[in-house]
Amino acid sequence: MLMNLLWGLSTMMACLLVQSVLVIAAIRHYRRREPWLNHPSFWSSVAVITGVMLLLVIGNMAQVALWALLFLALEEFQQFGEAFYHSAVNFATLGYGDVVMSAPHKLLGPLEAINGALMIGMSTAALISVFQDALQKMTRTRRQ
């Protein structure tokens, strides 16, 4: 169990690093395109918000891949696709149960679910923050 905790916590730390890098990239993307929000076009605003969302989704998918690589390294799965699927189910806290890991590594599933809930929450917070800021800027621009 101790080894699972060490592997799980190490993977969580790597995921936090990935998430931090992608959130910073998403915020930089938004800041570089802020002038687009002063344009009266609805589609320019949609493009800015969509770019932020895509960067955040890429970050979450990268984290799913990190967990999948851990599962492969522990020989829980033979193919990356199956490991990625299982990882995505855990990360998104779906818990289908159609694919399960062996008893020695079962603890990694709940650890990944905790990690996923935190990181998806962080992505949601970043996206909402950007969306609120964009909405304020668009509202100001249209009033002028």
Side-chain angles (χ1 to χ4, degrees), residues 51-110:
V52 169
M53 184 186 69
L54 286 174
L55 286 168
L56 295 170
V57 168
I58 288 167
N60 286 317
M61 290 295 101
Q63 292 172 72
V64 168
L66 284 175
W67 281 96
L69 290 172
L70 173 63
F71 299 154
L72 282 175
L74 294 173
E75 297 181 351
E76 282 294 318
F77 300 97
Q78 301 304 313
Q79 298 177 351
F80 181 76
E82 189 177 18
F84 189 88
Y85 167 77
H86 180 73
S87 178
V89 169
N90 284 340
F91 196 84
T93 69
L94 291 171
Y96 286 154
D98 57 339
V99 179
V100 294
M101 292 194 296
S102 65
H105 297 123
K106 277 187 177 180
L107 179 61
L108 293 172

Side-chain angles (χ1 to χ4, degrees), residues 8-31:
L9 292 174
S10 297
T11 305
M12 290 172 98
M13 294 302 293
C15 286
L16 180 58
L17 178 63
V18 168
Q19 183 72 12
S20 298
V21 167
L22 268 292
V23 166
I24 290 167
I27 291 169
R28 285 184 176 170
H29 168 82
Y30 176 73
R31 293 290 179 215

Side-chain angles (χ1 to χ4, degrees), residues 40 135-144:
L135 189 58
Q136 288 174 353
K137 286 181 170 64
M138 290 181 330
T139 303
R140 259 189 308 239
T141 299
R142 293 207 170 114
R143 285 186 183 161
Q144 295 173 353

